[in-house]
């Protein structure tokens, strides 16, 4: 059984930076992809970024490309989402997710394990 625990988000101002972490336990993540999704009030949960654990390939939604960076730290079984130049439209609950042999990296239903979510609020 996989457990994913996100760090606490926060309230920041537009233009600020914030780093989220996702600590995984329960198994090794060979052949897994770890992704970040977010859900704003009244909207569907959307893909933000993902990384393939084995090879470190990274993927980003167009809306965050160039501002967000996803990385992994193998010996800590942890994935980070560095968010720079935050905008009010980045306000959402952010979820970490893990999926085995994910084919379509941005699809929610490819991920079988989810964290509890953490709130990120960006004020203008």
């Amino acid at each position: 059984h996989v457990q994913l625990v996100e760090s606490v988000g926060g309230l920041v101002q537009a233009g600020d930076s914030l780093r989220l972490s996702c600590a995984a336990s329960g198994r090794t993540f060979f052949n897994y992809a770890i992704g970040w999704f977010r859900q704003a009030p009244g909207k569907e949960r959307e893909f933000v970024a993902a990384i393939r654990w084995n090879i470190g390939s990274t993927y980003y939604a167009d809306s965050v490309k160039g501002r967000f960076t996803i990385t992994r730290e193998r010996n800590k079984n942890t994935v980070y989402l560095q968010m720079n130049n935050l905008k009010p439209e980045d306000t959402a609950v952010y979820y970490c997710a893990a999926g085995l042999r994910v084919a379509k990296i941005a699809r929610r239903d490819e991920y079988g394990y989810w964290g509890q979510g953490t709130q990120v609020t960006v004020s203008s």
Side-chain angles (χ1 to χ4, degrees), residues 30-100:
F30 189 78
N31 282 334
Y32 272 75
I34 310 295
W36 286 95
F37 290 76
R38 66 186 182 187
Q39 188 166 16
K43 295 189 176 181
E44 289 196 359
R45 195 171 298 187
E46 65 175 6
F47 172 75
V48 176
I51 187 167
R52 294 196 185 276
W53 192 263
N54 298 1
I55 57 177
S57 300
T58 56
Y59 308 83
Y60 298 94
D62 287 343
S63 59
V64 306
K65 211 170 285 185
R67 299 188 298 123
F68 290 13
T69 304
I70 187 169
T71 57
R72 65 173 174 2
E73 193 167 356
R74 287 179 182 271
N75 61 349
K76 291 187 177 180
N77 249 22
T78 298
V79 170
Y80 302 97
L81 184 68
Q82 177 67 43
M83 304 184 291
N84 297 331
N85 190 22
L86 282 160
K87 303 176 180 181
E89 52 263 43
D90 294 318
T91 295
V93 177
Y94 284 70
Y95 296 89
C96 173
L100 178 63

